[in-house]
Amino acid sequence: MKKLMTTIIILNLGLASTVSANPITWDVDSGSAICSGGVGNSCVFNENGHALMARAYSTTNNSGSGVFEKATLTAWSGGLGVKNPDQNNENSSPHHALDDDGRDELIVFENSDPGFSFTGFEIGWRHNDSDLSVWIGSLTAGYDFTGVRFSDLSGLGFTNSYYGNVPINTLNSLDQVPGNYLIIAPASDSNSEYVKISQISGELPNRVSEPNILMLFVISWLSLWISRKRIVAGNAVCSL
């Protein structure tokens, strides 16, 4: 009986372990981008049927205190950049990147898979400096950040992390805080930052297949039935 119960427990644990994390990575550069055009546009990236959407905003200044307004997201060979709404000098290097020259710029990534967690990011290009601030949080799908400030993000439930002197083509691990939004922006300091975001990674929970769900139910019922039989048998022996 003990051996049978041990086998049942092992089977339950084995099936439960199938609900594990499934890593996924999107290359967010010009080769994989499907982008709409104009100010307030978006780019969508697909990997194994899972979509990641990106949008761009910029502020009215570069002091870290301006309100967000819609900008143009651009995809280059080295990754994603941002054009300010006025697009002044935004087609020339290094201003075509995600930067804080004149205005603070930010890229918002959104994933709608239930239970998803952002786990890392990479930059594929940098100029001058590459200190970055990162926020992770959960909001309704398609949330419009227009009018929001960086100082408002914590009140919206976002957690913030700082990454100094980020190297290119190197994974920067994120704290696995659950959230469907990832925001990346140049850190607010005295240096000018110019980067292009080239990769975003995350983890999706695996789903237990229908046969495994049925097997879990059968095993759980069998475990309960055996336990009840042992209790009944024990009571019968005691009554004798």
Side-chain angles (χ1 to χ4, degrees), residues 22 24 26 45-53 110-118 138 141 178-181 202-205 207:
N22 178 28
I24 185 169
W26 291 272
F45 308 90
N46 281 284
E47 182 66 28
N48 295 327
H50 299 282
L52 178 73
M53 185 174 69
E110 178 184 353
N111 181 276
S112 59
D113 288 291
F116 177 83
S117 295
F118 287 101
S138 295
N180 59 330
Y181 281 98
E203 286 188 349
L204 295 157
R207 299 286 180 246

Side-chain angles (χ1 to χ4, degrees), residues 120-136:
F121 72 95
E122 290 187 15
I123 65 172
W125 183 91
R126 58 173 283 180
H127 173 78
N128 194 49
D129 203 4
S130 57
D131 301 331
L132 299 175
S133 286
V134 175
W135 291 263
I136 298 177

Side-chain angles (χ1 to χ4, degrees), residues 152-166:
D152 298 329
L153 292 175
S154 61
L156 292 172
F158 282 75
T159 59
N160 177 229
S161 301
Y162 171 82
Y163 294 82
N165 198 30
V166 175

Side-chain angles (χ1 to χ4, degrees), residues 43-78:
C43 293
V44 177
F45 308 90
N46 281 284
E47 182 66 28
N48 295 327
H50 299 282
L52 178 73
M53 185 174 69
R55 292 173 287 151
Y57 293 84
S58 67
T59 66
T60 53
N61 56 49
N62 65 346
S63 66
S65 61
V67 298
F68 300 170
E69 55 185 13
K70 293 179 181 179
T72 303
L73 187 67
T74 56
W76 309 91
S77 59

Side-chain angles (χ1 to χ4, degrees), residues 5-17 215-216 219:
M5 291 299 296
T6 301
T7 301
I8 290 173
I9 291 172
I10 291 173
L11 286 172
N12 269 291
L13 290 174
L15 289 174
S17 67
M215 183 63 70
L216 281 172
I219 291 174

